[in-house]
Amino acid sequence: MTAGDAKLDRVLGAKTARALDSAFGLATVGDLLRHYPRRYAERGELTAIAGLEIGEHATVLAQVERVSKRTMRSRRGTIVEARITDGHRSLTCTFFNQAWRERELLPGRQGMFAGKVTAYRHQLQLAHPEYQLFDAGSATEAGGDEVHSAAEEFAAALIPVYPAAQGLPSWSIARCVGQVLDVWDGTEDPLPEALRERAGVMGLQEALHTIHRPRDLSEVESAGQRLKWDEALGVQLALARLRGASQERSAPASPPAEDGILAAFDQRLPFDLTTGQREIGERIAADLATEHPMNRLVQGEVGSGKTVVALRAMLQVVDSGRQAAMLAPTEVLAAQHARSLTGLLGDLARAGELDGAEQATRVTLLTGSLSTAQRKQAMLDAASGSAGIVVGTHALLQDRVSFADLGLVVVDEQHRFGVEQRDALRARGGAAAAPHVLVMTATPIPRTVAMTVYGDLETSSLRELPHGRASISTSVVPVAEKPNWLDRVWQRVCEEVAAGHQVYVVCPRVGDDEAAEGSSSRDEPASFAEDGTEESPRDGGNRQQRPPLAVIDIAARLREGPLADLRLGVLHGRLPAEDKDAAMRAFAAGELDVLVATTVVEVGVDVPNATAMVIMDAERFGVSQLHQLRGRVGRGSAPGLCLLVSEAMAGTATRERLDAVAATTDGFELARVDLQLRREGDILGATQSGRKSGLKMLSLLRDEDVIARAREEAEHVVGDDPQLREHPGLARMVAELVDEERAEFLEKS
Ligand code: ADP
Ligand code: MG
């Protein structure tokens, strides 16, 4: 008698319902049924303790090895310490002032232990865990209010292990799910029968029952297949509708001109285009010439010359009397882009000036930190059309900037710009005409990610680097094990400068007691905590104890000590815009030897004379971020050097990650490593805006096949029924994945 949208308190009682809501945001019966087990434990199987991560809330199946009680010296009271083991490694559980636990946690007994993993004196620990021992009749939940029979809960051969929280151990959640399943009156299957048969998956109701109460692992597998299929299909349907909607819209056709600014630019180019640049250039030229909006992603290794590709596309649009906007993730980068585009164009960027070329246009920078007068002028240039190219940050499109005739938007270094933002961007042209969109990223994208996160785009890859590009060698400097190697690092910096080169020193934080890290200032790319390196350290040591190294502190230390003789500048997002610009300019002009900076240098900065980069606290950065960062050196003819300074110990996962970055400069290989290490939810668009991603079961790493099949099926369905009118169940599935705003947008188009 209970429907999926019934509130949980009707079934479970107010207190439990509240706990589930506050821990996991589970409000309804349906929500709880979608709270799938993370894994299944077999009776007698013990959890590998070596795989636990500091800071995670873990549920461990283990055996008590020994137990002891002692009296605390400093405070009054007792401590019971139980060592539990998986047969290889052990974990200490501590209990304060609960002497009776000594009598219960007898050596040899097995059970489930749940709590937050911490480290104390290099020993893994669970402080005050909740636990449930397996032997019948003696179950207990520390801190819980119910005592019930373990025999009943563990009668099944497979024990579902749920994502758990303090006060809500896995076994309590299992009990709640059981109660809900007993009264749940099922759900209608959103998949039409024919489609379900083609996919070869079981019914939804059966799948939801089975995933919580499987008899064996093969049942888990087939139930999982169904639930994965729904997720993959939902995403692909949404994307197929997006692509369809975009093709129905019209865009300003900008066919190539015979002898316009593009032709003049090509003549002036001091180098030959690479084969890749030429081929992609032709695809783009053809896309721009059609009357439907281009939606293209160009992925190309760092230094592969994407800027020229983008500029040539922009010039084709300018040739047909329209404008192009280029969006960068930070103001520093926008300013740099404006400068380098102006530089590349030479007299072609000086329309209206005495020495301007005949076909010339203007490049205008439009950012939040311009003075009021400058900003007014820039707005005017954009609105009047006198600026053929307008460069700004992503905010450019949110502000009330109007263009005379916007034909193309280029989004550079786009990994912070999701499906939804791109959507908003396309909608900007109004229903009548959407601008063409060209997205560029230096982070190579595995196929599954291309099919999901970038599924609204067609992709092209720029694989080759221009000739004569020097190589970059990367080494990890393990300062925990070899403290004096740090001196050697600074020596190396001095040698590099003595040879006439320049060096970046990158730190994860600005310093000087800013509030939150990384994203605290507008100009700092917000990716810092994106891959979880900050929140859940994976190195088996307690990293949270020391705040990340800061630009301000390191710069001061270097100035006083090892780099006292060098000209040193700082660059970070909290500097006033003109100081940022001045620092970047001075470094580019060779007036500074060393630039101590945050990740503001991560993307796009191009100073060919910079040959070395030292990255402090390297473990605090994600894989692709490190790859991007080191792409800033070795851009000239001299070989590049990148030193990853880290306290991560050999053998830890964190160190492995750094070693992987040091071992290869192949972005595609690193993208794969990155995908393995990141929490998958973080890669999927929806979470970028703080919403829960609908994808719980689907793995971008393992389910390439499912995703590809779902994509085909979605193309097929949407091709026949663009509005999904004949498929209300599928329409609902899509609606559950996309937020209302987006759904509305889909309705309108
Ligand atoms: P990225 O793909 O990382 O954005 P850029 O567009 O900044 O790379 O290009 C890196 C450098 O290579 C720039 O200095 C650019 O002028 C130069 N470059 C681009 N294309 C070529 C080419 N075909 N031959 C030689 N140099 C090139
Ligand atoms: Mg670039």
Side-chain angles (χ1 to χ4, degrees):
M1 287 302 104
T2 305
D5 57 3
K7 293 270 179 255
L8 280 172
D9 54 8
R10 287 196 19 220
V11 187
L12 299 173
K15 187 169 164 237
T16 311
R18 242 194 336 270
L20 285 166
D21 195 7
S22 72
F24 306 108
L26 305 174
T28 65
V29 162
D31 290 346
L32 181 60
L33 293 178
R34 300 280 181 174
H35 189 71
Y36 306 131
R38 172 180 286 161
R39 60 190 170 84
Y40 301 83
E42 280 174 83
R43 241 180 170 316
E45 164 209 282
L46 303 177
T47 311
I49 287 173
L52 297 181
E53 289 174 7
I54 310 271
E56 84 174 315
H57 187 100
T59 304
V60 186
L61 268 76
Q63 182 164 36
V64 180
E65 194 173 40
R66 66 163 191 248
V67 65
S68 62
K69 184 178 72 186
R70 57 191 168 81
T71 317
M72 281 185 277
R73 246 174 273 140
S74 49
R75 289 181 280 165
R76 281 173 34 158
T78 56
I79 299 184
V80 171
E81 283 184 337
R83 277 262 292 273
I84 59 174
T85 176
D86 61 3
H88 303 282
R89 291 194 55 179
S90 57
L91 187 64
T92 309
C93 303
T94 32
F95 301 91
F96 296 100
N97 291 333
Q98 295 182 330
W100 53 273
R101 294 203 184 273
E102 190 192 13
R103 293 188 299 278
E104 187 171 85
L105 291 165
L106 297 173
R109 294 192 67 178
Q110 287 192 5
M112 285 175 121
F113 299 80
K116 190 164 168 175
V117 181
T118 55
Y120 181 67
R121 294 193 177 144
H122 297 290
Q123 248 289 335
L124 288 184
Q125 196 173 0
L126 289 180
H128 266 262
E130 294 160 285
Y131 62 86
Q132 188 176 45
L133 296 171
F134 283 169
D135 315 1
S138 60
T140 172
E141 285 181 28
D145 52 0
E146 298 143 279
V147 175
H148 61 279
S149 158
E152 175 193 333
E153 293 294 329
F154 295 105
L158 282 184
I159 306 163
V161 180
Y162 287 93
Q166 196 66 44
L168 270 178
S170 175
W171 51 90
S172 297
I173 295 171
R175 199 173 54 245
C176 295
V177 170
Q179 285 171 20
V180 162
L181 280 176
D182 289 342
V183 296
W184 181 48
D185 54 13
T187 180
E188 201 184 316
D189 200 319
L191 283 188
E193 186 62 25
L195 218 154
R196 194 172 69 72
E197 269 169 23
R198 260 205 305 283
V201 291
M202 66 169 71
L204 179 58
Q205 189 163 331
E206 184 188 354
L208 284 173
H209 266 279
T210 308
I211 203 74
H212 293 290
R213 292 175 161 176
R215 274 179 303 236
D216 56 42
L217 288 173
S218 76
E219 285 196 354
V220 172
E221 171 71 23
S222 33
Q225 282 302 330
R226 163 62 203 245
L227 299 171
K228 272 180 195 172
W229 177 253
D230 284 11
E231 292 179 0
L233 187 65
V235 170
Q236 293 305 331
L237 284 169
L239 290 168
R241 293 193 65 192
L242 221 48
R243 289 192 300 267
S246 160
Q247 277 318 298
E248 275 165 28
R249 239 177 284 135
S250 64
S254 301
E258 271 299 313
D259 48 11
I261 187 170
L262 176 54
F265 174 75
D266 281 347
Q267 266 170 15
R268 284 166 170 78
L269 255 189
F271 44 71
D272 292 330
L273 295 176
T274 63
T275 314
Q277 281 172 323
R278 228 188 349 264
E279 282 172 4
I280 292 180
E282 280 162 19
R283 297 283 314 253
I284 294 173
D287 286 351
L288 293 175
T290 72
E291 284 168 358
H292 297 294
M294 169 175 80
N295 291 300
R296 185 168 293 280
L297 169 74
V298 172
Q299 49 172 328
E301 273 290 353
V302 182
S304 59
K306 294 183 291 295
T307 312
V308 172
V309 170
L311 178 54
R312 294 186 67 250
M314 293 194 280
L315 295 180
Q316 179 170 335
V317 168
V318 171
D319 267 334
S320 49
R322 302 202 166 84
Q323 292 165 291
M326 184 174 207
L327 310 186
T330 68
E331 295 203 348
V332 170
L333 194 55
Q336 155 124 12
H337 268 317
R339 258 201 308 278
S340 67
L341 294 180
T342 310
L344 281 165
L345 286 168
D347 61 350
L348 291 171
R350 294 198 286 271
E353 290 175 41
L354 281 179
D355 59 347
E358 183 196 338
Q359 309 89 333
T361 184
R362 300 191 71 86
V363 177
T364 290
L365 177 67
L366 182 46
T367 58
S369 53
L370 296 179
S371 71
T372 317
Q374 286 171 321
R375 192 173 158 77
K376 218 163 155 187
Q377 183 59 48
M379 301 269 276
L380 206 65
D381 291 348
S384 69
S386 75
I389 296 176
V390 180
V391 186
T393 60
H394 297 163
L396 190 60
L397 293 179
Q398 282 128 44
D399 296 350
R400 289 163 297 125
V401 178
S402 60
F403 291 85
D405 189 353
L406 184 60
L408 167 68
V409 178
V410 177
V411 183
D412 190 21
E413 311 293 0
Q414 87 87 50
H415 56 283
R416 297 178 189 97
F417 201 71
V419 177
E420 293 165 41
Q421 285 102 321
R422 290 195 292 273
D423 237 28
L425 191 152
R426 283 180 208 117
R428 219 187 109 95
H436 297 288
V437 174
L438 177 63
V439 172
M440 303 196 297
T441 174
T443 313
I445 296 163
R447 185 159 171 257
T448 49
V449 179
M451 285 190 292
T452 49
V453 186
Y454 301 97
D456 57 325
L457 304 170
E458 296 188 56
T459 54
S460 335
S461 305
L462 204 51
R463 285 199 162 227
E464 91 203 90
L465 297 184
H467 293 298
R469 198 52 64 73
S471 60
I472 304 173
S473 62
T474 305
S475 308
V476 179
V477 181
V479 283
E481 291 140 58
K482 318 261 182 195
N484 54 351
W485 282 20
L486 193 57
D487 297 337
R488 182 74 196 103
V489 167
W490 305 127
Q491 254 171 37
R492 193 74 183 69
V493 169
C494 292
E495 288 163 21
E496 210 67 29
V497 171
H501 297 304
Q502 291 161 281
V503 180
Y504 297 101
V505 176
V506 178
C507 303
R509 197 166 62 98
V510 178
D512 205 6
D513 53 38
E514 72 216 275
E517 251 74 89
S519 54
S520 61
S521 75
R522 219 154 47 95
D523 215 24
E524 225 73 51
S527 66
F528 181 42
E530 253 171 38
D531 63 358
T533 45
E534 188 62 356
E535 290 158 54
S536 55
R538 289 150 197 270
D539 61 350
N542 201 345
R543 209 121 281 290
Q544 239 111 24
Q545 283 167 356
R546 174 170 71 68
L549 292 172
V551 168
I552 291 172
D553 306 336
I554 292 292
R557 246 149 72 188
L558 293 176
R559 272 199 187 106
E560 281 161 22
L563 305 185
D565 298 333
L566 307 184
R567 296 168 302 168
L568 196 136
V570 299
L571 176 67
H572 56 75
R574 280 196 293 133
L575 290 175
E578 61 264 38
D579 293 5
K580 269 188 277 190
D581 217 49
M584 206 51 238
R585 247 180 233 272
F587 190 68
E591 290 155 17
L592 293 172
D593 301 313
V594 176
L595 189 66
V596 186
T598 52
T599 53
V600 288
V601 299
E602 176 191 352
V603 278
V605 172
D606 191 18
V607 179
N609 192 44
T611 50
M613 175 177 282
V614 179
I615 304 180
M616 307 301 292
D617 276 348
E619 74 281 1
R620 312 258 184 169
F621 300 94
V623 168
S624 62
Q625 214 174 6
L626 290 170
H627 184 57
Q628 286 275 329
L629 279 166
R630 74 175 159 185
R632 300 307 115 209
V633 297
R635 294 174 79 82
S637 50
L641 173 70
C642 176
L643 299 173
L644 306 175
V645 178
S646 171
E647 290 177 1
M649 306 287 280
T652 60
T654 308
R655 179 66 171 277
E656 267 173 38
R657 204 158 58 93
L658 296 180
D659 288 340
V661 174
T664 178
T665 48
D666 179 345
F668 280 87
E669 169 63 16
L670 284 173
R672 209 184 47 74
V673 173
D674 196 23
L675 191 56
Q676 260 160 5
L677 295 169
R678 290 173 78 145
R679 288 170 306 172
E680 302 221 4
D682 295 345
I683 311 170
L684 295 159
T687 48
Q688 287 177 0
S689 50
R691 266 187 307 278
K692 277 182 291 177
S693 123
L695 306 196
K696 296 182 173 143
M697 198 57 94
L698 193 69
S699 159
L700 292 183
L701 204 59
R702 291 178 299 275
D703 297 323
E704 178 167 338
D705 177 50
V706 179
I707 295 170
R709 278 189 297 129
R711 186 177 175 87
E712 265 176 48
E713 187 69 65
E715 275 289 325
H716 188 74
V717 172
V718 171
D720 291 345
D721 178 14
Q723 304 299 325
L724 298 178
R725 281 195 230 287
E726 330 244 294
H727 297 92
L730 298 182
R732 236 185 307 123
M733 248 162 74
V734 174
E736 275 164 23
L737 272 166
V738 295
D739 61 302
E740 281 173 11
E741 214 175 297
R742 178 94 156 274
E744 251 171 51
F745 168 72
L746 287 170
E747 289 312 325
K748 271 186 296 202
S749 48

